[in-house]
């Protein structure tokens, strides 16, 4: 099987790492990839949003399977594009069409979907520029804090948790009238604030059958103790102790099954990942958001725990044969720590030489924002590498991951030293 992975982060390096371990793997390409994927696959210098160039590369390299990493090409319709061209129709793909990707691409769509199919979620209303006055009045009757969400994709920045009514009104006006998040905030969902512990649940589906992948906990804030600005994710752990059998049963029955039934009822043929961001609110699951892809850095702890052939799972997903696929999960603990460039998540440094990774022996290195240049590996993004430790105990997995984060060196490096410690205490 010749495979192309679209994307350039730690998630895509983890996909590539697992796929090269498969006996089914022939040639592996990543577009555009990073310095890590360059070591185990062929990087193609193509943007994952350039569908024509991707199509050319698929035909030129006899690619049988395309796995889409990030949300943007999904929301822009990469699957629909392949289906619309006769010579590309046969190409297998993991990733939903544009309609399915609206679960992530439009908060208004996903909230309506949840309401229609009885998926538990926070109470909400959607407003536009034309209904701004109604929105401002609506805010007056809501409890604080209150959550405002840009409808469209906003690179993880479109959510505002307002602590006061003034802040909420100001934010709503900025989003709708001043287009704070561009087109993404032409609609704004105002949502009740839910307290509880967050959990990431991942479902792999071919539209009929599904597998629940290992769950994970993400560390979103830049600072230790979950303080400071939001990031793409500073680390992750899997398994998560509060994802008990009882809680996961509730997730399957109250969230996953109605979601699958809803997709069918809407006529959405979904072949891909569904990443469900959940709040455990007083022991019950509530959906915070859907994503049409895997999480990053969650993938870097989820994939190491999947024992079955990952490429076989991807092929089965694309071929509507997931019910036949072997799926087993390791009981080991996986912890990943992300090392980031100085300044991230604000303006950050780029082009610093990375050293020290050769001395990492007890952890798996997943490159994210890196690029190869003249035999060196340079920083090329905010999140530079994710370092995953695995062990029979959470404590040892943390130690391995943290030791690796310490060993990798570049100017301005920063990482959180508390990844997994809250879970250890739980
Ligand atoms: P999202 O972009 O939807 O993942 O939201 C970003 C973060 O905002 C989530 O991971 C939560 O921590 C927080 N958040 C979103 N919606 C809510 C909510 N209704 N109640 C509490 N926190 C929320
Ligand atoms: N780590 C969160 C995400 O991938 O959206």
């Amino acid at each position: 099987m010749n495979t192309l992975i679209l994307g350039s982060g730690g998630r895509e390096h983890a996909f590539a790492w697992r796929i090269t371990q498969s006996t089914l793997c022939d040639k592996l390409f990543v577009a555009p990839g990073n310095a890590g994927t360059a070591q185990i696959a062929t990087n193609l210098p193509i943007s994952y949003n350039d569908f024509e160039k991707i199509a050319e590369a698929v035909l030129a390299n006899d690619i049988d399977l395309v796995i889409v990493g990030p949300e943007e090409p999904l929301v822009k319709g990469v699957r629909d594009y392949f289906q619309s061209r006769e010579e590309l129709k046969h190409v297998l793909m993991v990733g939903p069409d544009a309609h399915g990707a609206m679960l992530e691409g439009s908060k208004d769509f996903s909230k309506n979907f949840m309401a229609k199919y009885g998926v538990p979620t926070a109470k909400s209303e959607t407003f536009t520029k034309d209904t701004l006055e109604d929105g401002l009045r609506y805010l007056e009757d809501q409890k604080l804090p209150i959550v405002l969400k840009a409808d469209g994709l906003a690179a993880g920045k479109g959510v505002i948790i307002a602590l006061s009514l003034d802040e909420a009104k100001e934010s709503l006006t900025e989003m709708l009238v001043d287009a704070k998040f561009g087109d993404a905030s032409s609609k704004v969902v105002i949502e009740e604030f839910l307290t509880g512990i967050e959990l990431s649940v991942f479902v792999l589906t071919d539209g009929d059958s599904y597998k629940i992948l290992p769950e994970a906990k993400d560390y979103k804030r830049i600072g230790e103790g979950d303080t400071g600005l939001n990031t793409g994710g500073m680390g992750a752990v899997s398994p998560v102790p509060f994802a008990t059998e009882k809680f996961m049963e509730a997730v399957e029955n109250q969230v996953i099954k109605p979601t699958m039934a809803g997709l069918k009822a809407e006529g959405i043929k979904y072949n891909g990942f569904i990443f469900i961001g959940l709040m455990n609110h007083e022991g019950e699951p509530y959906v915070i958001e859907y994503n049409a892809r895997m999480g990053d850095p969650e993938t870097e702890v989820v994939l190491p725990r999947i024992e079955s052939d990952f490429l076989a799972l991807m092929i089965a997903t694309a071929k509507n044969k997931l019910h036949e696929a072997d799926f087993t999960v390791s009981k080991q603990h996986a912890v990943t720590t992300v090392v980031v460039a100085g300044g991230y998540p604000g303006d950050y440094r780029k082009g610093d030489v990375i050293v020290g990774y050769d001395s990492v022996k007890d952890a798996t290195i997943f490159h994210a924002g890196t690029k190869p240049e003249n035999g060196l590996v340079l920083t090329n993004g905010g999140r530079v590498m994710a370092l995953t430790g695995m062990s029979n105990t959470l404590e040892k997995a943390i130690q391995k991951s943290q030791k690796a984060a310490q060993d990798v060196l570049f100017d301005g490096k920063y990482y959180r030293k508390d990844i997994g410690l809250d879970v250890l205490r739980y």
Side-chain angles (χ1 to χ4, degrees), residues 335 360-365 387-390 400-405:
V335 174
V360 173
K361 298 281 181 259
D362 264 350
T364 307
I365 300 176
L387 304 141
T388 301
M390 297 267 299
K400 287 181 177 179
S401 172
Q402 287 281 313
K403 172 74 169 59

Side-chain angles (χ1 to χ4, degrees), residues 122-127 134-148 162-166 168-169 172 189-193:
K123 185 185 83 163
S124 74
E125 288 284 339
T126 302
F127 297 93
D134 300 336
L136 294 171
R137 261 196 308 278
Y138 177 83
L139 281 173
E140 303 209 342
D141 298 329
Q142 305 307 310
K143 279 202 225 116
L144 293 168
I146 183 87
V147 184
L148 282 79
L163 301 175
S164 71
L165 181 59
D166 281 348
K169 285 184 165 178
L172 183 67
V189 174
I190 301 181
E191 183 175 286
E192 174 192 16
F193 179 81

Side-chain angles (χ1 to χ4, degrees), residues 220-229 231 234 414 416 418:
K220 284 207 170 77
R221 303 295 193 97
I222 187 74
E224 281 161 26
D226 296 325
T227 53
L229 294 174
T231 71
M234 297 295 291
Y414 168 78
R416 275 180 63 168
D418 65 342

Side-chain angles (χ1 to χ4, degrees), residues 127-410:
F127 297 93
T128 63
K129 201 172 170 180
D130 295 335
T131 57
L132 172 68
E133 291 305 321
D134 300 336
L136 294 171
R137 261 196 308 278
Y138 177 83
L139 281 173
E140 303 209 342
D141 298 329
Q142 305 307 310
K143 279 202 225 116
L144 293 168
I146 183 87
V147 184
L148 282 79
K149 296 184 173 181
D151 174 58
L153 293 184
K157 297 197 174 78
V159 175
I160 289 172
I161 299 178
L163 301 175
S164 71
L165 181 59
D166 281 348
E167 187 191 349
K169 285 184 165 178
E170 199 180 313
S171 297
L172 183 67
T173 311
E174 277 174 8
M175 286 164 99
L176 288 176
V177 182
D178 309 331
K180 180 169 180 164
F181 301 108
D183 266 357
S185 65
S186 62
K187 281 186 194 172
V188 173
V189 174
I190 301 181
E191 183 175 286
E192 174 192 16
F193 179 81
L194 290 175
T195 53
I197 323 179
E198 284 182 68
L199 178 71
S200 303
V201 170
F202 305 95
V203 178
L204 181 64
T205 181
D206 60 10
D208 288 309
S209 163
Y210 62 83
K211 309 275 185 211
I212 304 176
L213 307 183
E215 77 284 354
K217 180 182 191 294
D218 178 20
Y219 292 78
K220 284 207 170 77
R221 303 295 193 97
I222 187 74
E224 281 161 26
D226 296 325
T227 53
L229 294 174
N230 253 321
T231 71
M234 297 295 291
V237 301
S238 179
V240 182
F242 53 80
T244 59
E245 215 170 293
K246 182 163 169 264
F247 185 74
M248 290 308 287
E249 233 171 66
V251 171
E252 181 162 17
N253 290 324
Q254 294 166 36
V255 176
I256 297 173
K257 285 183 178 164
T259 298
M260 296 305 305
L263 289 172
K264 271 217 149 146
E266 294 293 313
I268 297 170
K269 177 73 180 79
Y270 200 110
N271 299 72
F273 297 98
I274 309 176
F275 161 1
I276 308 171
L278 287 172
M279 189 70 85
N280 177 341
H281 175 71
E282 296 170 2
E284 294 293 327
Y286 286 81
V287 176
I288 295 277
E289 62 168 350
Y290 289 113
N291 296 298
R293 54 175 173 85
M294 279 299 289
D296 194 352
E298 290 94 327
T299 303
E300 292 94 301
V301 292
V302 171
L303 259 56
R305 292 193 58 223
I306 298 177
E307 290 168 330
S308 326
D309 185 321
F310 183 69
L311 181 54
L313 276 167
M314 294 296 94
I315 297 168
T317 300
K319 282 192 171 171
N320 306 315
K321 293 202 167 150
L322 196 54
H323 61 286
E324 290 175 8
D326 171 58
F327 179 65
T328 55
V329 169
S330 153
K331 287 203 162 34
Q332 288 220 314
H333 294 261
V335 174
T336 201
T337 305
V338 180
V339 291
V340 305
Y344 177 80
D347 288 337
Y348 53 80
R349 302 166 58 113
K350 265 189 187 179
D352 287 306
V353 178
I354 309 172
V355 296
Y357 46 83
D358 285 337
S359 61
V360 173
K361 298 281 181 259
D362 264 350
T364 307
I365 300 176
F366 296 113
H367 288 235
T370 68
K371 69 169 179 186
E373 202 170 281
N374 303 324
L376 297 171
V377 177
L378 305 184
T379 65
N380 190 40
R383 293 189 291 169
V384 175
M385 285 176 175
L387 304 141
T388 301
M390 297 267 299
S391 181
N392 290 331
T393 70
L394 174 59
E395 207 160 10
K396 285 213 189 96
I398 294 173
Q399 277 166 10
K400 287 181 177 179
S401 172
Q402 287 281 313
K403 172 74 169 59
Q406 206 179 337
D407 288 348
V408 168
L409 300 172
F410 55 88

Side-chain angles (χ1 to χ4, degrees), residues 61-73:
N61 295 293
D62 273 329
I63 286 163
D64 310 293
L65 169 70
V66 178
I67 302 172
V68 186
E71 63 277 16
E72 224 187 314

